[in-house]
Amino acid sequence: MSVDVGAMPSGAPSSLLERVAALRREIAETACAAGRDPSSVALLGVTKAQPRSAVVAAIGAGLRDIGENYVQEARAKYAELPPVQKHFIGHVQTNKARAIVELFDVVQSVDRLEAGRALGQAQRALGKRIRTLVQLNVSLAERFGVAPSDAPALAARLREEGLEVDGVMAIGPLTADRSAIRDAFRRAAQAFGEVGGSTLSLGMSGDWREAVACGSTMVRLGTVIFGVRG
Ligand SMILES: *Cc1c(COP(=O)(O)O)cnc(C)c1O
């Protein structure tokens, strides 16, 4: 199926199916070059600002993890999808906690106790358990996220609230300085070791190679799969 959404960088394969296949190969190669098992890096397709048809096409291309930043947008796109893991990667507003637990399997962006409490309450009310990640702040430009040094304490409090904390997520710094990106990702990887769990969610379209080299177990890719957001 060829769904062409957004403009792609020149040289990129023209169909979504081919782009996903090419990315999977490159991710595997990058993992191997870093001495890692290529199957240890999952690919999360970020479909924000893309139509439902893009979500369906991504699942058709074999993606098993998809992500959205906004509850409203997800609600419209997620009706009657095949079974995949749905990840919430946007800011958690406490008044949206119930809708988030209803719609998603994983919340990657828990950065304060208040948000965790609201998710915990929603889980109990709905009788549904989700997985969560602690969002770290490793970039001066980012508004959200907890300092890596505060992440283990937050994770412990969230677990007391009944949440399953399965690792950490971070957004890399917006810079062309590759070594600054690697430094930030190394700080995130260290905090991951202290928090525990199975998921180190690091890397987006512009920095996933550094993320895989630094131990990412999940890269979150939007633009390089779906094209530039309109
Ligand atoms: C938008 C977004 C992504 C995907 O970004 P691309 O650069 O398009 O790959 C990944 N993670 C988060 C948290 C996002 O908001």
Side-chain angles (χ1 to χ4, degrees):
M1 185 174 1
S2 157
V3 169
D4 282 312
V5 283
M8 293 305 300
S10 61
S14 62
S15 80
L16 191 145
L17 195 69
E18 288 168 340
R19 287 197 294 274
V20 168
L23 280 164
R24 283 196 189 289
R25 276 196 304 276
E26 284 181 70
I27 292 166
E29 282 164 18
T30 307
C32 288
R36 301 186 53 205
D37 175 354
S39 70
S40 64
V41 188
L43 171 53
L44 168 66
V46 176
T47 54
K48 68 169 172 234
Q50 301 294 352
R52 175 180 155 88
S53 60
V55 180
V56 172
I59 296 170
L63 291 195
R64 289 295 161 262
D65 294 278
I66 56 174
E68 284 282 341
N69 295 58
Y70 299 102
V71 171
Q72 278 303 100
E73 219 186 305
R75 191 177 274 129
K77 290 190 230 170
Y78 281 180
E80 293 170 51
L81 285 184
V84 286
Q85 290 280 297
K86 303 179 194 87
H87 299 250
F88 184 70
I89 59 174
H91 183 59
V92 178
Q93 293 172 272
T94 52
N95 64 345
K96 300 271 170 65
R98 189 186 168 98
I100 291 170
V101 172
E102 266 172 347
L103 281 164
F104 294 90
D105 304 294
V106 183
V107 179
Q108 297 206 356
S109 41
V110 183
D111 65 353
R112 62 204 198 287
L113 184 57
E114 203 194 355
R117 280 210 179 106
L119 292 170
Q121 261 167 26
Q123 285 196 132
R124 287 188 291 279
L126 292 163
K128 177 180 174 186
R129 253 172 90 73
I130 54 163
R131 284 188 294 132
T132 63
L133 306 181
V134 169
Q135 182 174 351
L136 306 174
N137 189 317
V138 294
S139 161
L140 289 174
E142 271 307 309
R143 283 167 64 205
F144 301 119
V146 66
S149 57
D150 293 335
L154 176 60
R157 291 291 293 109
L158 294 170
R159 286 172 176 137
E160 285 169 15
E161 294 292 328
L163 292 185
E164 180 180 348
V165 179
D166 192 34
V168 303
M169 180 272 266
I171 297 173
L174 205 60
T175 170
D177 178 350
R178 308 324 288 185
S179 74
I181 293 170
R182 279 191 297 274
D183 284 348
F185 285 162
R186 281 193 204 106
R187 275 182 278 139
Q190 188 189 339
F192 172 54
E194 292 161 11
V195 165
S198 70
T199 305
L200 174 57
S201 174
L202 287 182
M204 304 179 14
S205 289
D207 56 17
W208 67 261
R209 287 180 178 79
E210 285 81 7
V212 171
C214 293
S216 171
T217 69
M218 177 171 280
V219 293
R220 307 180 308 271
L221 304 184
T223 309
V224 287
I225 298 177
F226 302 103
V228 176
R229 288 178 284 275

